[in-house]
Amino acid sequence: MRLCKPVRPCTLPATTLRAAATDHCSFHSCTITDQPATRANKKLVQRQRVRELERLLEPIDTSGFTPHCIGKKWMEYQGIQNWEGLLDPLDDKLRSEILRYGEFVEAVYKSLDFDASSPTYATCRFPAKNTMLECAGLSKTGYALTKYLYATSGIKPPRWIEKVPSWMATQSSWIGYVAVCQDKKEISRLGRRDVVIAYRGTTTCLEWLENFRATLTHLHLNQPDDAQQEEQKKHVNSFAEAPMVESGFLSLYTSRSGTSPSLQEMVRDEMSRLLQSYGDEPLSITITGHSLGAALATLTAYDIKTTFNRAPMVTVISFGCPRVGNRNFRCELEKQGTKVLRIVNTDDLITKVPGFVLEDDAVDPTGLPSWIQKRIEETQWVYADVGRELRLCSRDSPYLNSINFATCHDLKTYLHLVNGFVSSTCPYKATEQRLLNNHITEKLMA
């Protein structure tokens, strides 16, 4: 850093340095100032930064973690009390569970065929369900895959689309899977049998186009015909009084093609089968996803609780989720008892779109008259955030000195931040060590 005048270095007593060895947050409020460096020191710093970036690119290593026994407290960690007392500071058991579900999502990305020239583009590279997790780098999870899931775009391609490469017109694509915990030791550790539904984010061209269909639409998961929809609308005085969701997300969830059923139909069929098989024992359904997959996870949770009267506890663990629906959609989720934990990177723009949010506190901070708010809500652009939020920040990580849009939204970044997060007052485990290193460097350079 170039300075126009000498800057007095930050000096810390030895007692503070000793305290930092046992306290993650000792140096969080201390600002360390860079000092002029020699050429050798500059090269040393550059090599350190390269190592830091290389470490970030490595997958989160959970092999050394001791699996935490959830046992009788499993409902608490699934959000029955909205994760009160577990998020700030972040409970280590909850951290390991979030990372575990994040790895299920990462397995979808690793298994997807991204090669646009491949005849199996946008399908799973591992057709055998019994080996998919292992092939994707997830061995010994205790889960067995039971269903591959596909999403279909409802956008009707124009006639000229036949002239473009086939991958640009891919209408149905593999988006995730259903897996059931079958290992007795893992079931004992978790305190119940767990069903996981994992979704990836946006990949195909038509999925991107669906993302841009950002206006709200009425939530009709039972797909009524036009006459029924008109009859239902008569009982709704305004858009604000009905649960509504983003048009593109709903399209991807409910659309079908001539050769593929809708994602909704596949989920319902599989959940019906699994509830018949395991409904008499302690059971949970955990739906996890990243980006578009996080939005579909929220819709899936709502649909399961709406469709099955005796549905077990349903929890959503979402990473980088965009806004999904309006205030009434959030209220319906809360009435159902669906629990949503949103992992949010404050530097990630995707979590701030689409539309905008009007606060609904007792005292309206906008100061707008109610009739103006009502008109704004009728524009079909007013969304509401759902569930509880675990707020992280790329800038808190010592391994993310240079950030950009893509990095901030990447699933690996989210898992990296969850792995290092401590609390809102000490946002990263490595903060202490980084500041200690900087302080030692300054002393050597003084």
Side-chain angles (χ1 to χ4, degrees):
M1 178 168 64
R2 186 177 180 181
L3 302 175
C4 57
K5 61 180 180 179
V7 177
R8 182 180 178 183
C10 173
T11 57
L12 299 174
T15 54
T16 305
L17 289 172
R18 284 195 295 271
T22 56
D23 185 358
H24 285 303
C25 306
S26 298
F27 290 147
H28 180 64
S29 60
C30 176
T31 301
I32 305 296
T33 308
D34 294 341
Q35 294 297 306
T38 64
R39 181 175 299 178
N41 284 333
K42 286 182 178 179
K43 290 183 178 179
L44 175 63
V45 171
Q46 289 174 350
R47 286 197 296 270
Q48 289 175 342
R49 288 179 178 173
V50 169
R51 286 196 294 270
E52 289 172 355
L53 290 173
E54 288 175 345
R55 177 177 171 180
L56 175 62
L57 292 174
E58 295 174 356
I60 299 297
D61 182 14
T62 57
S63 59
F65 292 173
T66 302
H68 294 287
C69 181
I70 305 299
K72 294 181 180 179
K73 292 187 176 181
W74 71 267
M75 297 186 86
E76 182 180 350
Y77 285 94
Q78 288 294 105
I80 192 67
Q81 298 175 356
N82 294 315
W83 296 280
E84 287 295 335
L86 299 177
L87 298 177
D88 194 8
L90 181 59
D91 181 271
D92 279 337
K93 292 182 179 179
L94 180 58
R95 182 200 317 279
S96 64
E97 288 299 287
I98 293 172
L99 290 173
R100 189 170 66 89
Y101 288 117
E103 288 177 341
F104 281 119
V105 180
E106 184 71 15
V108 187
Y109 283 113
K110 290 180 179 179
S111 303
L112 183 68
D113 187 350
F114 282 104
D115 185 1
S117 63
S118 171
T120 59
Y121 170 71
T123 65
C124 181
R125 295 191 294 119
F126 312 117
K129 292 194 289 289
N130 60 337
T131 60
M132 188 226 116
L133 288 177
E134 185 176 354
C135 291
L138 276 184
S139 59
K140 300 180 181 179
T141 62
Y143 286 72
L145 262 70
T146 64
K147 184 79 172 179
Y148 280 166
L149 300 173
Y150 294 79
T152 300
S153 170
I155 296 176
K156 295 180 180 179
R159 294 179 180 177
W160 54 261
I161 204 74
E162 298 175 358
K163 300 178 181 179
V164 303
S166 59
W167 62 269
M168 295 185 66
T170 301
Q171 194 167 13
S172 296
S173 56
W174 183 68
I175 201 162
Y177 58 84
V178 181
V180 182
C181 187
Q182 302 286 16
D183 184 75
K184 291 183 179 180
K185 289 185 179 179
E186 184 68 359
I187 291 173
S188 176
R189 183 187 75 82
L190 294 174
R192 85 283 183 188
R193 188 186 298 274
D194 186 41
V195 176
V196 167
I197 302 175
Y199 293 129
R200 61 162 173 81
T202 308
T203 299
T204 68
C205 287
L206 291 183
E207 287 171 1
W208 278 109
L209 291 178
E210 291 281 24
N211 287 342
F212 290 114
R213 298 173 64 188
T215 55
L216 291 163
T217 186
H218 287 281
L219 183 58
H220 297 301
L221 288 178
N222 290 323
Q223 298 177 327
D225 57 31
D226 294 340
Q228 288 176 312
Q229 289 190 32
E230 290 302 320
E231 184 63 26
Q232 289 174 2
K233 288 180 181 180
K234 291 180 182 178
H235 300 284
V236 179
N237 295 325
S238 73
F239 289 112
E241 295 176 8
M244 304 181 74
V245 295
E246 202 251 23
S247 302
F249 300 154
L250 185 62
S251 173
L252 284 168
Y253 188 65
T254 59
S255 297
R256 63 169 72 92
S257 69
T259 57
S260 176
S262 68
L263 175 58
Q264 177 190 41
E265 291 169 331
M266 286 184 277
V267 167
R268 287 183 176 182
D269 289 346
E270 187 63 9
M271 288 301 105
S272 178
R273 188 184 70 82
L274 293 177
L275 291 176
Q276 260 190 330
S277 300
Y278 307 113
D280 295 332
E281 59 183 274
L283 185 70
S284 67
I285 299 175
T286 309
I287 313 171
T288 183
H290 170 245
S291 192
L292 165 65
L296 292 176
T298 308
L299 283 177
T300 301
Y302 177 89
D303 189 28
I304 291 174
K305 293 294 284 187
T306 301
T307 304
F308 301 100
N309 294 328
R310 299 181 61 186
M313 186 172 184
V314 177
T315 301
V316 176
I317 306 292
S318 71
F319 300 89
C321 187
R323 295 167 184 153
V324 181
N326 68 352
R327 192 180 305 171
N328 270 49
F329 175 66
R330 180 180 66 190
C331 291
E332 290 297 319
L333 282 172
E334 293 171 352
K335 288 177 184 178
Q336 292 178 342
T338 299
K339 302 301 178 181
V340 180
L341 178 59
R342 292 183 300 112
I343 319 300
V344 174
N345 180 359
T346 57
D347 293 318
D348 182 5
L349 296 178
I350 296 298
T351 62
K352 300 174 176 63
V353 296
F356 53 90
V357 174
L358 286 182
E359 299 293 339
D360 55 348
D361 299 328
V363 179
D364 175 29
T366 65
L368 296 175
S370 59
W371 66 272
I372 294 182
Q373 288 194 52
K374 185 177 179 181
R375 294 294 180 270
I376 293 175
E377 289 174 344
E378 288 177 350
T379 64
Q380 304 178 55
W381 281 93
V382 179
Y383 285 74
D385 293 324
V386 301
R388 288 297 303 272
E389 180 180 277
L390 175 59
R391 185 174 287 267
L392 310 172
C393 181
S394 293
R395 288 165 290 178
D396 291 330
S397 169
Y399 307 106
L400 290 170
N401 293 324
S402 177
I403 60 176
N404 55 52
F405 171 79
T407 302
C408 290
H409 187 59
D410 193 272
L411 178 60
K412 287 184 181 294
T413 298
Y414 272 88
L415 298 183
H416 169 75
L417 293 175
V418 170
N419 188 47
F421 180 76
V422 179
S423 69
S424 58
T425 56
C426 184
Y428 206 83
K429 289 178 182 178
T431 300
E432 166 202 349
Q433 188 61 48
R434 178 190 59 174
L435 293 174
L436 274 171
N437 290 341
N438 287 349
H439 184 73
I440 293 170
T441 302
E442 288 178 354
K443 285 294 186 181
L444 293 174
M445 292 164 54

